[in-house]
Amino acid sequence: MAPTEVAQSRRIVTEIPGPKSRAIQQRRSSAVAQGVGSVLPVYVERAGGGIVEDVDGNALIDFGSGIAVTNVGNANPRVVERAAEQLGRFTHTCFMVNPYEAYVEVCEALNRITPGDHEKRSVLLNSGAEAVENAVKVARSATGRQAVVVFDHAYHGRTNLTMGLTSKNMPYKQGFGPFAGEIHRMPMAYPYRWPTGPENCGPEAAAAAIDQIAKQVGAENVAALVIEPIQGEGGFIEPAPGFLPALAEFCRANGIVFVADEVQTGFARTGDMFACDHEGVVPDLIATAKGIAGGLPLAAVTGRAELMDAVHGGGLGGTYGGNPAACAAALASLEVIESEDLTGRAREIGELMLDRLRSFADRFDVVGDVRGRGAMIAIELVSDGRTPDPEAVAQVLRHCHSRGLVLLSAGTYGNVIRMLPPLVIGDELLNEGLNILEEALAGL
């Protein structure tokens, strides 16, 4: 059955959240663990394009994409068709018991589209955290080393290992330790907050990180360096130019596996198929998830054949990894990205949003920085020059949510507003959403 078409216009018919959403929220409080949060408790009835419709009949502009998952749009017709057809044939066999062709096809596609023309292998998994954890497993197995290098402001997941890799304590790590050992954190190239200015950030941050690795860990002990080419939860921090290439070269020279965590940045989100493409960085391993399957749970590790094949038989896998319906959805999603040139569309979205947001920065002192690429854009809100202002973010989000715009916060200091619209959103909705954001900033 084809998905019902969702009208691409904002519509507010009740307060946000409305009475039906509030009633479900009451039920939730006695059924769902309190540790599970929601940014905006409007309960969704359907979604498509750049719109999310709730159970009260409100239609909200979607600047979240389920945290960079629905890149091709919610309930994309080709994704729905392929997944439904697969569900009608079989739902599960476990690839490790009775394999199926779609798993192989997804791996072939990933091997083709990820950076680099070397021989590759892939493994399919369930979540971004699982992908990062398996990348570390592969690196340790292939190198015989144990140490893992990560960076300030990083976010890599909620499993025990990936919590250890993650920089931000609250809410991700508080009370959940002890964490895995042999994890070493290095300074991040954060242009807006680099002490000597953004023009010096790339080379200075790379030199500082390499120096600390050599002194504190020993390059010969490092199995993997794991980094987001643009940091997600850390605040959409785009590393200063030259930082990633310098780290990649250091890894090559010292036998360290360079792991790109492209869970949030992958699949056309940043205006390239992968964010590493921007500076021509070729990772040894790349972890992907989120935008891979149009909303169905799927993740992967793709990398150099000699690394991936170094793991003993049975060392990689999982019961649900590469679920057949998710594989079908991924194949459809990748077809949409390529046939509709969604990388080009992401660049168009970025140009429109950055132009508007930079005009906001010129008018509103609270906007300290505007950054990002493609449809992965953020503003950092500050007071007194560069002091992080999380309360301003909270006020802006309250206003935008009440007016029917789905927005997310981010950042180590909680002072970043991140924007992740679906790549199929229209310019009219984009501008309307930015108008609402402008109202919120003007009202501070």
Side-chain angles (χ1 to χ4, degrees), residues 343-356:
T343 54
R345 178 55 185 159
R347 290 192 293 272
E348 293 174 353
I349 291 170
E351 290 172 7
L352 186 156
M353 297 187 79
L354 287 170
D355 185 58
R356 289 286 310 274

Side-chain angles (χ1 to χ4, degrees), residues 147-207:
V148 181
V149 167
V150 290
F151 291 83
D152 287 337
H153 313 290
Y155 176 83
H156 296 292
R158 295 176 183 261
T159 62
N160 185 268
L161 175 60
T162 57
M163 279 191 294
L165 303 178
T166 291
S167 177
K168 190 174 181 178
N169 178 57
M170 191 67 184
Y172 304 113
K173 301 167 71 170
Q174 178 65 33
F176 298 140
F179 304 114
E182 282 298 334
I183 296 169
H184 305 270
R185 195 169 308 283
M186 300 299 153
M188 178 63 183
Y190 190 163
Y192 179 63
R193 296 193 173 275
W194 194 254
T196 61
E199 65 279 2
N200 300 314
C201 181
E204 289 184 1

Side-chain angles (χ1 to χ4, degrees), residues 71 229-231 236 238 262 264-278 342-348 350 372-377 420 423:
N71 291 4
I230 298 177
Q231 291 185 317
F236 283 23
E238 183 181 3
E262 293 243 20
Q264 192 162 159
T265 54
F267 304 103
R269 172 56 57 183
T270 65
D272 291 293
M273 185 62 81
F274 297 96
C276 279
D277 294 330
H278 184 69
L342 293 189
T343 54
R345 178 55 185 159
R347 290 192 293 272
E348 293 174 353
R373 295 201 304 268
M376 186 174 181
I377 305 294
L420 293 158
L423 305 184

